Amino acid sequence: MNGAAFRSEEVVVGQEPFLLQGTLTVPVGTGPFPGVVLVQGSGPHDRDERIGPNTPFKDVAEGLSTCGIAVLRYDKRTFRYKDRFAGGISIDEEVVLDAVSAMGVLKTNRAVDATRVFVAGHSLGALLAPEIAHRSAPVAGAVLLAPPGRPMWQLIPAQLRYLGVPAEQIALIEKEAEPLKSGTASSGTFLGVPMAYWKDLDSRDGVGMARKLQRPILIMQGERDYQVTEEDLATWRRGLAQVDGVDVVTVPGSNHLFIHGEGKSGPAEYSVPGHVDARVIEKLCSFFLSARE
């Protein structure tokens, strides 16, 4: 990326006692600029959404700021304060509250056009992006990068089958998930996480929220993504088929991190250094620069 095309400044997101450090990249030139908040997937991610040697959110932020868009990314609460959530956490606490706060921080920055502020989420963040947009209204639009379209009790066993996990192990996980599937979960855990968390996640209707948003929406899916697949994308296509202003784009060769590769995708690929596909950055730039509040 051309570092001379933007500057970076440190910002603070969230409320006491969960203040979060973040980075705002701002294009060099005369603003105000369109702005976007990046929201990570599940897990205790830092602001760059670092996975192994890869930093997809840093790639996206610096790529977008090079083409004229201000970008705010921040450390997740579960990254900065991971020791405080041993007893469980809600979806609001993990993702939504801090994302809404970040949208507010972005809107009040003098370099940003508050009428052209977007939310862009990846994976879990993509599922929740329409809700974050609603709770941050008014917004100019939303981007959903690899949004899940199936409940986790269905998605996780599918991932394990893809990875060749023995059938008996998958059967045990599916048995553990049965209370979620039947809607009878009241206590216990699934994959070591309290059932209350999974029930909260199951209650979030990303497609329904997107249907109500009435703002431009861009959905992107990597064609080599084994974690969130075409089956998930089909849920969004069906749910938003009658909604205006929705653009669905698949990226040949891209994995779940939107990094290009060849052959069958798998976890080992995330340990290989790479960068977000330039085609993804170009499409995002086009969307943010053309959409209007």
Side-chain angles (χ1 to χ4, degrees):
M1 301 301 173
N2 180 10
F6 61 88
R7 60 180 172 81
S8 298
E9 60 184 68
E10 291 297 295
V11 296
V12 176
V13 169
Q15 309 293 329
E16 291 281 7
F18 297 113
L19 296 177
L20 305 172
Q21 301 303 309
T23 299
L24 176 66
T25 52
V26 181
V28 172
T30 304
F33 303 99
V36 59
V37 167
L38 303 183
V39 183
Q40 305 96 322
S42 59
H45 288 293
D46 68 8
R47 71 193 74 182
D48 296 333
E49 204 184 34
R50 182 181 298 275
I51 300 177
N54 298 296
T55 53
F57 272 16
K58 184 175 188 289
D59 292 348
V60 170
E62 295 185 353
L64 292 181
S65 289
T66 297
C67 74
I69 298 147
V71 184
L72 195 163
R73 65 193 198 274
Y74 56 94
D75 298 333
K76 278 183 73 174
R77 187 180 300 197
T78 48
F79 174 83
R80 176 65 178 82
Y81 301 99
K82 61 185 70 175
D83 295 338
R84 301 193 191 182
F85 299 107
I89 192 171
S90 70
I91 298 299
D92 270 9
E93 290 169 332
E94 184 191 5
V95 180
V96 180
L97 294 176
D98 297 324
V100 172
S101 171
M103 292 288 282
V105 170
L106 192 62
K107 286 182 181 183
T108 56
N109 190 286
R110 288 182 297 177
V112 175
D113 180 351
T115 68
R116 299 175 68 193
V117 169
F118 303 79
V119 56
H122 176 231
S123 199
L124 174 63
L127 172 67
L128 297 170
E131 179 177 351
I132 294 164
H134 273 286
R135 291 168 66 168
S136 306
V139 301
V143 171
L144 285 57
L145 300 170
R150 293 170 284 174
M152 290 299 148
W153 49 260
Q154 184 178 354
L155 189 62
I156 291 170
Q159 293 174 358
L160 297 177
R161 289 189 190 92
Y162 173 92
L163 295 173
V165 172
E168 57 270 22
Q169 292 184 29
I170 296 174
L172 289 173
I173 289 171
E174 290 181 320
K175 182 177 180 181
E176 186 180 12
E178 186 58 40
L180 285 170
K181 184 177 179 180
S182 64
T184 60
S186 58
S187 62
T189 64
F190 174 55
L191 300 177
V193 177
M195 284 293 187
Y197 174 87
W198 300 109
K199 288 175 66 177
D200 188 2
L201 181 55
D202 275 356
S203 74
R204 308 289 171 139
D205 182 4
V207 173
M209 286 287 184
R211 199 180 292 126
K212 299 174 184 176
L213 189 56
Q214 297 182 327
R215 289 291 184 271
I217 296 173
L218 171 63
I219 302 174
M220 299 190 76
Q221 172 73 35
E223 291 185 3
R224 292 178 61 254
D225 188 344
Y226 76 90
Q227 292 181 252
V228 176
T229 70
E230 176 60 38
E231 187 173 347
D232 296 281
L233 188 60
T235 298
W236 294 88
R237 289 185 190 273
R238 288 192 302 269
L240 302 179
Q242 305 304 316
V243 178
D244 292 334
V246 177
D247 188 12
V248 179
V249 176
T250 59
V251 187
S254 283
N255 63 17
H256 189 59
L257 305 184
F258 291 90
I259 295 173
H260 186 81
E262 304 290 341
K264 184 177 180 179
S265 182
E269 188 174 7
Y270 301 153
S271 298
V272 178
H275 293 284
V276 171
D277 194 313
R279 295 170 295 180
V280 175
I281 304 294
E282 290 167 6
K283 181 61 183 180
L284 292 172
C285 285
S286 175
F287 177 77
F288 294 131
L289 292 175
S290 63
R292 292 291 186 271
E293 192 274 330

